[in-house]
Amino acid sequence: MPVAQEESVAPASRARSKPGSKPGPRPRVGRDFVAALARAIAEGRFAEGSTLPREQDLCAEFSISRTVVREALKTLESKGVVRSRARAGTLVRARADWNLLDADLLDWMGDTVVDAAFLSAVLEARRAVEPFAAELAAERATLTDIAALNAAWETMRASERGHDAAFTAADAEFHRILLRASGNLVFAQLSAVIDAALTRALDRSNSSVASHLEAVAVHGRLVEALRMRDGKAARAASEQMLDTAARDLKRLVRDRQG
């Protein structure tokens, strides 16, 4: 499948500099190319284990400079997608080596990597962490934490009949706050690491249902459990959220297959 050429860069970035001034930067060129190359790899144009075309060939194909190509390859190498080998070119690494929690990769590769297997893996990770984090939060959350969690829940409730993007943004914020409210430093760090993946998983789950009333209700029960310092109820509410997410994932997969 053809990859977007440099010609897709916004015309404003091609404007000529005024006489006597230095040429201005074209910031989108490099970012557009690395995104296009990442998509091409994810879609299988450049298969795992294969060697990418030579720099000069990529320059010719996409009408870009060697500097742009080299920076793009460095970016993808830092994210585990490719590996440069002396005198042997650039190798496409196995998908298992890609940093699929990276927000840039998820943006560039989209549905190619955010598939059923990825969503299932995110759900399994949440099952391992969130119920215990909720139980800890019932004991450790500050009044400020609970107020922030309630504010996120109120936004979810206000967005329930609105746009899915607004609801998902509030839903993701709710889960960020919950992990931080656990008082566990590792969970708090994990929140930042998985944030992009969690947001995309919530987006897929939320977009698969016609109504968010059930989600709003169970999130509200978790907030109330924290107010009451009821760890058992907090864990139960978290587990119900995850059971609902699993059901929605099954529906999503079934609908895509059908």
Side-chain angles (χ1 to χ4, degrees):
M1 159 176 195
V3 183
Q5 305 273 330
E6 185 185 357
E7 281 67 22
S8 66
V9 178
S13 68
R14 298 181 179 275
R16 290 187 177 182
S17 303
K18 294 180 180 180
S21 66
K22 294 182 178 180
R26 296 190 294 172
R28 289 300 308 174
V29 175
R31 191 161 180 82
D32 287 349
F33 174 65
V34 72
L37 186 57
R39 283 195 301 272
I41 291 171
E43 292 169 357
R45 177 180 172 187
F46 304 117
E48 298 174 28
S50 68
T51 300
L52 291 179
R54 297 174 303 171
E55 286 182 6
Q56 57 265 41
D57 294 331
L58 290 171
C59 291
E61 180 177 355
F62 300 109
S63 301
I64 51 180
S65 69
R66 281 200 171 190
T67 299
V68 171
V69 170
R70 287 172 181 171
E71 288 302 314
L73 294 178
K74 286 180 182 177
T75 297
L76 292 181
E77 185 165 19
S78 73
K79 299 177 187 298
V81 179
V82 301
R83 182 173 67 246
S84 296
R85 302 173 300 174
R87 297 182 298 278
T90 301
L91 177 75
V92 178
R93 300 179 66 180
R95 184 168 298 211
D97 296 327
W98 301 355
N99 182 7
L100 294 181
L101 297 180
D102 183 89
D104 286 335
L105 281 187
L106 291 174
D107 282 340
W108 298 335
M109 296 180 172
D111 288 342
T112 306
V113 295
V114 185
D115 55 12
F118 178 82
L119 296 175
S120 180
V122 172
L123 181 60
E124 288 174 355
R126 293 178 64 195
R127 283 195 185 278
V129 172
E130 286 189 6
F132 185 45
E135 189 172 353
L136 289 176
E139 175 187 347
R140 300 175 178 175
T142 66
L143 294 179
T144 300
D145 291 332
I146 295 173
L149 203 67
N150 185 72
W153 174 69
E154 290 283 7
T155 303
M156 290 177 66
R157 188 167 65 167
S159 306
E160 190 276 323
R161 296 182 182 277
H163 197 278
D164 278 338
F167 184 87
T168 294
D171 195 0
E173 179 64 7
F174 185 100
H175 290 278
R176 290 186 206 107
I177 296 167
L178 178 63
L179 290 183
R180 293 198 301 267
S182 70
N184 182 294
L185 293 177
V186 174
F187 287 174
Q189 292 289 316
L190 182 63
S191 173
V193 171
I194 70 170
D195 183 65
L198 174 62
T199 299
R200 283 159 182 77
L202 291 173
D203 176 67
R204 298 299 190 275
S205 177
N206 291 336
S207 63
S208 72
V209 297
S211 170
H212 301 309
L213 286 175
E214 183 180 5
V216 169
V218 71
H219 282 70
R221 286 198 291 275
L222 197 154
V223 174
E224 186 61 23
L226 265 59
R227 283 200 184 105
M228 301 302 295
R229 302 298 180 180
D230 187 338
K232 183 177 180 180
R235 175 182 278 272
S238 178
E239 289 174 343
Q240 186 178 354
M241 287 180 197
L242 295 166
D243 288 342
T244 301
R247 182 200 64 199
D248 294 343
L249 176 58
K250 287 181 180 179
R251 179 191 298 114
L252 181 63
V253 172
R254 184 177 64 247
D255 290 346
R256 286 183 174 180
Q257 291 175 341

